[in-house]
Amino acid sequence: MNAPIIADGVLIQRYMQGNQAAFETLLNRHRNRIFTSIYLLVNDRYLAEDIFQETFIKIINNIQAGKYNHEDKFLPWAMRIARNLSIDTIRSRKRMPVVVDSEGRDVFDCLGISVQSREDEQINQDEISALKHWIRELPEEQREVLILRNYAELSFKEIAVLTNTNINTCIGRMHYAILNLRKKMQKNTVRVK
Amino acid sequence: MITPITETDLLLFYYQEADEVTTSIIREHLPENTDWQYFLNELATISSESSSLMCSPSNTTLSIILEESRSQLEHTL
């Protein structure tokens, strides 16, 4: 017989009372959903590792500082932290200056150590998935709703609160994301994955 | 007269977020409606393929987080 699942809120309370195992359970329960969501949002495995770590360190600090509101659900709260950190990272990467050589090429391209090439290398190491590429090609707002619904498993209502939009906008974006993915799937004879 | 069911309704039905009335209409008419079946099958395919992309953080990252949580606990208690 399976042991009953202990609610996230109970685990947080136990952790606050000194139970480290409760925190480990919480981390193991949500790590893949949160990590995959971050990874698909920032498109870089190394950055995703950093953001994931930073997210959980903020979670720990907030819990221990008594800043976790027990009326909130843990996952949407954690995803809010993860999403904000992901957005900050994407913005700061966009601000990074590109250093070009005399012919106007990005010097890091020549060295083969640019963020993009590191990501390409990771893609080669991974089992290349057509679906992953199609998800990346979706317009940002559609991609975000799809990731938050399918990977973070947030409800449309929770996504609406998180992204500061209304529920119908979220549903509409998800609908377009699905339509776009269907089109890409139908257009490609390659089997997904 | 049956309320028209849109793909958005089917989307919400698939994610179990449709209201009770819409859910019962879709359940009742789904066996005879091949368009709905097709759309829901497509959604199921996308979801199932999506789950194959699920990945885990590295053990190093997890160790750092657990170390931090332990250390915070020691400071607090």
Side-chain angles (χ1 to χ4, degrees):
Chain A
M1 201 175 116
N2 292 334
I5 293 172
I6 303 166
D8 291 342
V10 174
L11 291 173
I12 291 168
Q13 269 175 340
R14 286 183 186 173
Y15 174 56
M16 288 171 77
Q17 289 158 1
N19 185 338
Q20 168 69 11
F23 178 79
E24 288 191 36
T25 305
L26 192 71
L27 175 64
N28 288 333
R29 182 177 291 171
H30 296 292
R31 64 183 191 182
N32 290 358
R33 271 182 278 193
I34 296 175
F35 181 75
T36 308
S37 303
I38 295 170
Y39 176 39
L40 292 172
L41 285 171
V42 299
N43 290 335
D44 184 308
R45 176 127 201 157
Y46 299 93
L47 270 180
E49 294 278 354
D50 287 347
I51 296 168
F52 179 80
Q53 187 179 311
E54 212 178 320
T55 299
F56 266 90
I57 287 173
K58 276 202 168 189
I59 287 169
I60 292 163
N61 290 339
N62 282 337
I63 289 174
Q64 290 300 351
K67 288 181 186 168
Y68 175 73
N69 180 351
H70 287 271
E71 284 170 13
D72 289 341
K73 281 188 185 172
F74 174 75
L75 188 59
W77 177 68
M79 273 311 302
R80 175 181 293 276
I81 296 171
R83 177 181 178 263
N84 287 344
L85 288 172
S86 301
I87 289 172
D88 288 347
T89 305
I90 292 166
R91 280 182 186 150
S92 66
R93 278 180 67 180
K94 280 181 182 166
R95 279 198 301 269
M96 275 172 68
V98 177
V99 183
V100 293
D101 63 13
S102 55
E103 292 170 18
R105 293 173 304 194
D106 184 341
V107 292
F108 292 109
D109 283 346
C110 309
L111 297 171
I113 56 168
S114 70
V115 172
Q116 188 56 47
S117 63
R118 206 171 56 176
E119 173 63 9
D120 288 344
E121 188 186 307
Q122 185 60 46
I123 288 168
N124 291 332
Q125 285 167 4
D126 288 344
E127 189 180 0
I128 293 175
S129 156
L131 182 64
K132 197 190 282 180
H133 290 291
W134 296 336
I135 290 174
R136 285 178 186 176
E137 284 173 3
L138 288 173
E140 201 175 317
E141 288 166 338
Q142 292 174 27
R143 186 160 56 95
E144 183 175 54
V145 177
L146 182 91
I147 292 167
L148 293 174
R149 190 64 193 81
N150 275 7
Y151 295 96
E153 294 178 20
L154 301 185
S155 69
F156 289 113
K157 193 176 166 190
E158 287 166 340
I159 296 169
V161 173
L162 185 62
T163 57
N164 204 21
T165 49
N166 65 56
I167 189 166
N168 289 329
T169 305
C170 288
I171 296 165
R173 286 174 182 169
M174 183 71 175
H175 191 195
Y176 279 114
I178 297 292
L179 292 178
N180 280 329
L181 285 179
R182 279 169 77 192
K183 264 190 231 162
K184 287 175 194 289
M185 287 170 94
Q186 283 161 2
K187 230 165 59 177
N188 285 272
T189 49
V190 183
R191 174 90 182 94
V192 179
K193 192 185 167 189
Chain B
M1 188 183 147
I2 299 171
T3 316
I5 296 293
T6 63
E7 285 193 346
T8 300
D9 293 323
L10 292 170
L11 189 71
L12 289 171
F13 172 78
Y14 179 79
Y15 286 107
Q16 299 179 352
E17 292 187 43
D19 60 57
E20 274 180 39
V21 177
T22 310
T23 301
S24 87
I25 293 170
I26 294 172
R27 282 218 174 111
E28 193 186 335
H29 296 279
L30 186 59
E32 76 232 24
N33 194 316
T34 51
D35 287 343
W36 294 359
Q37 289 170 20
Y38 179 75
F39 184 75
L40 291 171
N41 277 332
E42 293 269 278
L43 277 178
T45 305
I46 290 169
S47 291
S48 148
E49 296 291 349
S50 295
S51 65
S52 70
L53 300 183
M54 207 60 126
C55 49
S56 309
S58 69
N59 287 337
T60 310
T61 301
L62 293 172
S63 301
I64 293 167
I65 293 167
L66 288 174
E67 186 49 47
E68 179 68 22
S69 67
R70 254 182 237 111
S71 139
Q72 281 277 349
L73 214 50
E74 282 161 15
H75 278 292
T76 318
L77 294 175

